Amino acid sequence: MQMQEERKIPAREEIRSVRVKRHTQEVQEKLERAHVAIAGLGGLGSNISLSLLRIGVGHLHLIDMDEVDLSNINRQQYRLRQVGMLKTDALKEELLDIDPYADIKTTCVRIDETNMEELFAGADIVCEAFDDPVCKAMLVNFVLEKHPEKYIVAASGMAGYGKSNEIRTRQISDHFILCGDGTSEGHKGNGLMAPRVALAAAHEANAIVELIIDRL
């Protein structure tokens, strides 16, 4: 049986030209200049990363300390073959399979008060994508108090199923955007599931794109 000829990967400029055709030259240049740091690579962060990568956001910094676990597969953008891999490595692998020319920085570390300054120094926009509400508050407060020139996009409330229209985007302050329903918490019978988590992630990604194009 004759082996199928390996398909050639399109050149960087070929990929870019398609994006320019979709987005216009001006918009694409803004997307390419942007630096976005994504803190947490679970159901929110893995989906947000894919959305931003696909439209050509120029510089992504992916931050997480966990490995891919079997329990992640129900809502996160990982594969069974990646179980046991560091999320930073697994997600970068997925992203480069879509765009092998992407500028993707990864840091495998627990984010805390001692390293936030260094981790987010180069970011125009910080995307909060944690599961833990304490970590969410820590990162949001850090950006708002220490770096009011940066934008922070965060999420709260996305558990369960149904009620899609309750997931919304709210402008909390000039540099702070919050996505989600703001209330739902995961519990038995109402856990985190792919569709509603992806809705919240799409809201965050869309808010980031709006900031890049209209504010940066």
Side-chain angles (χ1 to χ4, degrees):
M1 182 177 179
Q2 192 173 17
M3 293 182 64
Q4 185 177 2
E5 184 179 350
E6 186 176 348
R7 293 176 183 245
K8 184 179 179 181
I9 296 174
R12 180 196 296 266
E13 283 308 310
E14 187 178 355
I15 296 171
R16 186 179 189 276
S17 67
V18 173
R19 287 172 175 156
V20 168
K21 186 176 180 180
R22 290 285 184 185
H23 307 149
T24 76
Q25 180 75 23
E26 179 184 6
V27 166
Q28 195 59 46
E29 287 177 356
K30 289 182 177 182
L31 293 170
E32 290 167 355
R33 288 194 297 266
H35 288 72
V36 180
I38 301 172
L41 304 179
L44 291 171
S46 61
N47 278 288
I48 292 163
S49 300
L50 282 166
S51 290
L52 299 183
L53 182 281
R54 285 187 183 280
I55 62 172
V57 170
H59 310 279
L60 297 177
H61 186 185
L62 311 179
I63 309 167
D64 200 297
M65 62 164 290
D66 290 332
E67 296 180 350
V68 179
D69 184 83
L70 186 59
S71 66
N72 301 150
I73 302 300
N74 87 316
R75 69 193 183 283
Q76 302 180 19
Q77 291 294 335
Y78 300 107
R79 309 290 183 262
L80 285 174
R81 62 177 172 77
Q82 294 175 318
V83 170
M85 290 179 64
L86 292 173
K87 286 187 176 180
T88 47
D89 292 343
L91 187 56
K92 184 174 182 178
E93 179 181 87
E94 293 293 302
L95 296 177
L96 291 178
D97 198 39
I98 297 168
D99 183 352
Y101 311 106
D103 178 26
I104 302 169
K105 178 181 178 181
T106 61
T107 304
C108 183
V109 67
R110 179 187 293 277
I111 298 171
D112 59 32
E113 291 86 350
T114 67
N115 57 23
M116 286 192 291
E117 190 69 47
E118 180 180 359
L119 287 172
F120 301 109
D124 303 311
I125 300 170
V126 176
C127 177
E128 178 279 309
F130 292 131
D131 291 332
D132 184 351
V134 174
C135 293
K136 286 175 179 287
M138 176 187 68
L139 182 54
V140 169
N141 289 335
F142 165 76
V143 174
L144 294 178
E145 294 172 8
K146 303 292 186 181
H147 288 281
E149 78 283 2
K150 296 183 186 294
Y151 293 95
I152 174 79
V153 178
S156 176
M158 66 211 71
Y161 55 92
K163 299 181 181 178
S164 297
N165 292 336
E166 290 186 4
I167 303 290
R168 56 195 184 97
T169 299
R170 291 173 287 163
Q171 185 89 39
I172 304 301
S173 67
D174 187 56
H175 281 235
F176 178 24
I177 294 173
L178 186 64
C179 304
D181 64 30
T183 58
S184 65
E185 296 183 6
H187 55 80
K188 188 174 182 180
N190 194 53
L192 296 170
M193 300 176 72
R196 210 155 186 268
V197 170
L199 280 170
H203 273 256
E204 283 198 82
N206 196 47
I208 291 168
V209 173
E210 185 175 10
L211 288 173
I212 293 170
I213 296 172
D214 294 342
R215 306 286 288 276
L216 295 185

